[in-house]
Each structure stands twice: as structure tokens, then as C-alpha cells.
Amino acid sequence: MAALEPWIIAICVLGGTVFLYLILKVFLTSWAANEYVRIKNSLNSSCDIDAFVGPKNPVSPLKVVLAHKFQLGSRQPSQDAIPLELVDSLHVPGLKVSRKAGSPKSDNDGNVMLLDEFLAEHSKSDKKPIVIATIRMGFGHHRIAYSAASWAIKKGHPTIFHDLLNIHSAEADLIKETDELYSKFSRYASELGGPIEKLWGSAMLSGNADALRIASLTAAHLKPLLLSYPKDVLMITSHQLTALTASAAGFTNVHNLVVDNHPQWFLTVPNTKNLCQGPVNYQSFLKMGVKPSELACAGHWCPADMVDNINEDCQRRIQRAQARVQNSTKKPLRILIPVGGAGAQRKFIVSFIKVLSPYVKTGKIQLFLNAGDHVHMKQAFLEVLDQCGLEFDTVNDTAGVFAFQNKMLDPNNEPTKGITLFSFEEYFPAVATTDILCRVTDLLSCKPSEMAFYCVPKLHIRRVGDHEADSACRSSELGDGTVEARELEDAREFIDLFLDTPDLITSMNQSIMDNNKNGIYSGCKNAVTMAAAIKKNN
């Protein structure tokens, strides 16, 4: 028999490969479609994403099922509530913090009571308890949660801070694994830059309906973390996975604080009131198909103390700006540079400090550096300050931060050194310090994350995820922040403008005061009001 020509063999191999691929694709597609339905039906969840996103967003079953299998394997969700107890917050007067009942006691616990006892105690009060439910992923979600808690307490509501990661359990461990991956990839993307940063940035824009489906399947496994609460409790969530968990468990009075200014299905949740910070998200979510009954524009997520003192703080900044050009004794430009919860941006921030070093040495600038609870960032700050020959003071506890703020609120006072380094071993002061110092800084220099919506003048530096770009646009259009300075030279040019053109910082502060008159920064206040109103109507 004559040997076949090589090209015939090649065609046969190629044809066979294509045939096998098509057979495998048909098989996997059929299997995934059936498996997706099976998984949904097995979860006992009230959160129906397919109905929420509508027929215009059909499921990609293979993508969703493989992602679910990768994260959870064959794990079966528990339907048993984890019993909860409450302790007084060590940091926020009037705030209760939830944890698993029977947790080891410490000398700092103070009053410990079961959740049921607390709810019974306040059952007949006009001011119903509010649960601020969140997940400690980075600083942003926690920062927003504390902002909401500050308004709930101010309005007289018994307030519970419920961090899903604080409820020690197998369910909390699931969240920790996801958070560790997110933080690690954020740091890698920021450090490596180039194609890796672009790939990560693109991933942060891919929160489509399938991403929401994947998250909702995970949320069904987290229900035990919330099931000890009554289903009609007032709940405000600052993380969409928490809202999805509440939706899966059948809670009826949930207000979901939507983050960012980039509309994605991933940020919205069925059976909740999804509250946006601005008109872009509100209009976009309506266009995407979110029901008007499940959507509202509330305003920016800002803490009560910051909002209550807007006029006083803005006037003080304006006076300092004018003094930089009018008086013989010029006031340095105070710049607050915080580090995010994922600990990214190390490379950019360290380089930025080197750029600012000459300004610090000549007394034109003062720096407030918040390393948070990141050991690697504290070390990076120490190294660059040593390299630049810059003297600095340190603050490492909450009491010291408040003492520093109180001193700086007096316009006659200045820090003893050109740089003050804030670093902590605990999580809360790492988050809260930036909020506390915002009142006494002239300029907040941050990536355009949750702080892009704060009522303080902002220099937006290089973003970590591409979803943050729209937040910088929102701020710059409101007049309370700059456009994003992605390169060091861009940031330097803005610094020179702030130093040489006092009208820039003045106009930002004037915009903040004008925006405040229109309720732009009252988002958390409005969220608390809306949550309480629903309870009364029921």
C-alpha cells in the first residue's frame, strides 16, 4: 500500500482534532448547563440572579460552573445559624461589635451580651437597631461601613458592626482565601506595572452578570454568618458579597451601598435597595435593567464628623492657602498620603516621596504618611526617609492620632517635624487614621478609590484597578479633586500648582462647601434615614 502524502495526514489529524474539540465542547456545554441548574437548586437561596439581570444577560454556564468548582469544589452549604454575641467597640463609643458566641474573653471586652438579649432590649424603642454588615477586604469597605455606623449612632440607633470575617467559622475562612488572593494580585499589579497592571485593570472592569452569578453562588455558602439576625432587621451593607448573602438568606430590609463610579452588574444585588453615590451609576444601572424600586441615588459615603465640620475645615484650608502667598510667615502645604488596605502602590508612593523631598526640606510641604498596619509599607517609608535625609515624628496609637488632630485644628499650631509617620499594629487605627487626619490636611493624595468621594481636596495619584478611573472623573467634575496623575511628573506639576496658585486649593474647598449644600456628601446619612423609614412603613 502506498504511503499517504504528508498533507493528507496533516488534514486528517487537523480534522480529527476539530471533531474531537466540537464533541468535547458540546459535552462540556451540556454538562455545565445541567450542573448550573443543579447547583442553584441545591443552595436554598432567595437570591435569583438570572431573574434579576434578565434575559438580555444569559448565563455562560461553563464559565460560572468552573469558577464555582474552583473556589468551592463539592462543598455543601450549611443552613445552621452561627450564634452571635456583642461586645462594646474599643474604638467607637456607642458601637456594638458582633462575634461568634462563646468566643474567648479578653480584659478589654467590657459588657458582653447575646444578640437576642440586645435585640429584645431595644424591641420597643422608636429607634430600631441597625446592623452595619461588611467584610474587611482592604480598607475601603470597612471605611464605608464605619461612615454608615457614625451616622446611625448620631441618629440614636442602637448600632451593630457586623464584619463577616470577625465571625470565626469555616464560612469566614472562605472569604479570607478570596481576600488574600485579591490583595496579592493588587500588590503584584502595582509593583510590576506594564502588561500585568493592564491585565489586572481589565479584570477589575469585568464585573458582568456572570461575575454576579459566581459571587451569588458563593454567598449562599455564607448564610450562617447572618442567620442569627431576624429577617426584617435594618441592615446596611458596604460590600456586595455581604448584601448577596443577606439576599440569599431572605432578609427584607437591606440597603446596599454601591462602591465606585463604574457601573457593573457585580456591584448590585436583588431584593435590596442599591444606593449609588452619583448620577452616572444611577442612570447606568437603570439602563442595564435594575428596577427603580431597587435603586436610589443617595450621595457620597462620608463619615459624620467630617461632614459636620465641612465649612470650618474648608475655611481653615483656604486661610492657609492664602497665607502661603500673602504673609511673610507662609503656611506649608499639608499632604496626607495613606496606603490602601491591600498594601499596593508601594513603588509609586516611595518614588513620590523622593519627588517631594526637596519641598519638605525647604519647608514648603508637610507630609502625613499613614502606613496603616502594613509592616512592609512602614519599612519602605523608613527606608526612603532615611535615604532622603528627612526627619520625622511617629504616631502609633489611636489616642496619639486624635491628639495630633486636636493640635492641628488650632490654626496657630504646626507639627514639630516636616513629616509625621503613622503606623499601627491593629487594623482599626490603620483605617480610621486617614479619616481623622482628613480634617487637618490641606490635601489628600490617594488613588481614586473610596476616598475619591470624600469631602476634602484630593490629588488623585496612580490607580490600582481600572474601575477606579471613573471615580477620579467624578471628583474632578465636582471640583473637589484633580484628574488622575498617573505619572510622577504629572503629580509634581499638580504640587507646583497647589503651591504657586492658591486659587486652586481655594476653589476646591469652595466646591466642597457648595456640594455640601446640595447634600452630595450625605450618602451615609441618607442611607440610615431610608433604612429607618422602611421599618416604620412596615
Side-chain angles (χ1 to χ4, degrees):
M1 179 182 289
L4 294 176
E5 295 290 334
W7 63 270
I8 296 178
I9 297 174
I11 290 176
C12 291
V13 171
L14 179 61
T17 302
V18 172
F19 178 75
L20 289 174
Y21 167 76
L22 293 175
I23 292 295
L24 181 62
K25 181 180 179 181
V26 170
F27 171 78
L28 286 176
T29 301
S30 176
W31 168 81
N34 292 328
E35 185 66 4
Y36 175 64
V37 173
R38 186 196 68 78
I39 292 172
K40 279 186 60 179
N41 293 338
S42 70
L43 294 179
N44 189 26
S45 171
S46 301
C47 184
D48 188 347
I49 301 300
D50 292 328
F52 181 62
V53 301
K56 291 183 179 179
N57 298 278
V59 63
S60 302
L62 186 60
K63 174 183 176 181
V64 174
V65 168
L66 289 179
H68 180 73
K69 295 287 186 182
F70 176 78
Q71 184 173 7
L72 295 168
S74 59
R75 185 184 191 278
Q76 295 300 309
S78 170
Q79 306 299 326
D80 298 328
I82 297 174
L84 302 175
E85 64 185 20
L86 307 177
V87 297
D88 295 327
S89 169
L90 296 177
H91 307 284
V92 181
L95 184 64
K96 295 288 185 179
V97 177
S98 62
R99 67 186 187 189
K100 186 176 181 179
S103 296
K105 303 295 188 294
S106 73
D107 295 337
N108 296 322
D109 279 348
N111 182 37
V112 180
M113 63 189 309
L114 293 175
L115 172 64
D116 291 343
E117 296 174 348
F118 178 83
L119 294 176
E121 179 181 315
H122 297 284
S123 61
K124 297 182 180 180
S125 171
D126 290 338
K127 296 289 187 177
K128 299 302 181 184
I130 290 183
V131 178
I132 309 297
T134 187
I135 299 177
R136 191 174 63 249
M137 282 188 175
F139 288 166
H141 298 287
H142 243 210
R143 191 184 307 283
I144 295 170
Y146 276 115
S147 293
S150 70
W151 284 106
I153 294 170
K154 180 180 175 65
K155 286 180 170 289
H157 290 276
T159 306
I160 301 172
F161 195 89
H162 186 80
D163 178 1
L164 269 59
L165 284 178
N166 199 44
I167 315 302
H168 298 298
S169 59
E171 287 75 16
D173 289 340
L174 284 178
I175 304 172
K176 289 177 183 176
E177 293 170 2
T178 302
D179 182 37
E180 288 171 358
L181 283 174
Y182 173 82
S183 296
K184 184 179 294 184
F185 281 122
S186 291
R187 290 194 296 270
Y188 286 164
S190 179
E191 293 295 315
L192 296 175
I196 302 299
E197 184 181 27
K198 290 182 179 179
L199 182 63
W200 180 247
S202 176
M204 293 298 98
L205 298 177
S206 60
N208 58 16
D210 282 334
L212 182 60
R213 290 182 175 97
I214 295 167
S216 73
L217 297 181
T218 300
H221 286 253
L222 306 178
K223 291 189 298 181
L225 296 168
L226 292 179
L227 286 175
S228 282
Y229 292 102
K231 297 294 178 64
D232 64 346
V233 72
L234 302 183
M235 183 175 292
I236 295 175
T237 66
S238 71
H239 194 294
Q240 70 274 17
L241 187 57
T242 310
L244 284 167
T245 303
S247 177
F251 283 78
T252 57
N253 288 335
V254 180
H255 284 67
N256 172 39
L257 307 187
V258 177
V259 298
D260 298 333
N261 196 43
H262 181 76
Q264 303 182 81
W265 275 115
F266 182 65
L267 300 176
T268 57
V269 178
N271 308 321
T272 73
K273 195 76 168 183
N274 296 283
L275 303 183
C276 306
Q277 297 187 82
V280 169
N281 269 4
Y282 178 72
Q283 295 169 17
S284 299
F285 286 135
L286 282 176
K287 187 172 181 292
M288 286 162 55
V290 179
K291 297 176 183 177
S293 60
E294 296 183 336
L295 188 66
C297 187
H300 292 192
W301 316 136
C302 297
D305 184 60
M306 197 181 297
V307 176
D308 286 343
N309 292 284
I310 280 178
N311 287 344
E312 174 188 340
D313 295 342
C314 285
Q315 290 293 349
R316 187 173 55 254
R317 295 188 195 105
I318 291 173
Q319 291 169 5
R320 289 179 58 84
Q322 293 173 344
R324 275 193 284 277
V325 294
Q326 296 176 357
N327 299 343
S328 57
T329 305
K330 296 183 178 181
K331 297 288 187 180
L333 177 69
R334 294 174 178 169
I335 304 177
L336 168 59
I337 305 179
V339 177
Q345 292 186 293
R346 181 188 65 84
K347 184 177 179 180
F348 188 95
I349 290 178
V350 166
S351 298
F352 189 35
I353 292 173
K354 292 179 181 178
V355 168
L356 297 177
S357 174
Y359 298 90
V360 175
K361 290 179 178 178
T362 56
K364 292 183 178 181
I365 282 178
Q366 295 169 351
L367 294 181
F368 304 158
L369 306 178
N370 182 14
D373 58 350
H374 298 296
V375 176
H376 75 286
M377 279 307 307
K378 178 183 178 181
Q379 186 59 37
F381 279 147
L382 292 174
E383 289 176 359
V384 70
L385 295 178
D386 180 64
Q387 291 172 11
C388 295
L390 296 170
E391 295 185 350
F392 60 94
D393 281 336
T394 58
V395 176
N396 53 24
D397 58 38
T398 306
V401 178
F402 276 111
F404 185 87
Q405 182 209 54
N406 188 58
K407 179 181 177 182
M408 294 303 105
L409 286 172
D410 185 336
N412 296 315
N413 291 333
E414 298 293 340
T416 56
K417 299 286 179 60
I419 295 178
T420 308
L421 173 61
F422 300 83
S423 64
F424 311 92
E425 295 182 358
E426 296 180 76
Y427 189 86
F428 176 84
V431 178
T433 291
T434 298
D435 292 5
I436 296 168
L437 295 180
C438 274
R439 288 199 55 202
V440 295
T441 191
D442 295 318
L443 186 67
L444 170 64
S445 178
C446 61
K447 67 186 182 75
S449 57
E450 78 286 349
M451 289 182 292
F453 300 87
Y454 265 19
C455 45
V456 59
K458 294 168 289 284
L459 166 60
H460 292 117
I461 56 176
R462 191 181 187 90
R463 64 182 181 264
V464 172
D466 285 353
H467 63 297
E468 294 177 339
D470 289 340
S471 298
C473 291
R474 167 70 174 169
S475 174
S476 59
E477 289 170 356
L478 283 173
D480 63 11
T482 69
V483 296
E484 183 184 358
R486 289 192 54 77
E487 305 299 333
L488 287 171
E489 187 55 36
D490 298 328
R492 184 204 299 269
E493 288 178 359
F494 271 120
I495 293 299
D496 288 336
L497 281 174
F498 281 116
L499 288 171
D500 301 335
T501 312
D503 288 349
L504 179 57
I505 199 80
T506 297
S507 67
M508 283 188 176
N509 282 285
Q510 188 60 55
S511 293
I512 291 169
M513 291 188 286
D514 292 341
N515 293 337
N516 188 44
K517 293 176 184 177
N518 295 323
I520 296 294
Y521 306 111
S522 297
C524 285
K525 176 184 178 181
N526 293 333
V528 171
T529 300
M530 284 188 275
I534 284 182
K535 187 66 176 181
K536 288 180 180 179
N537 292 336
N538 287 346

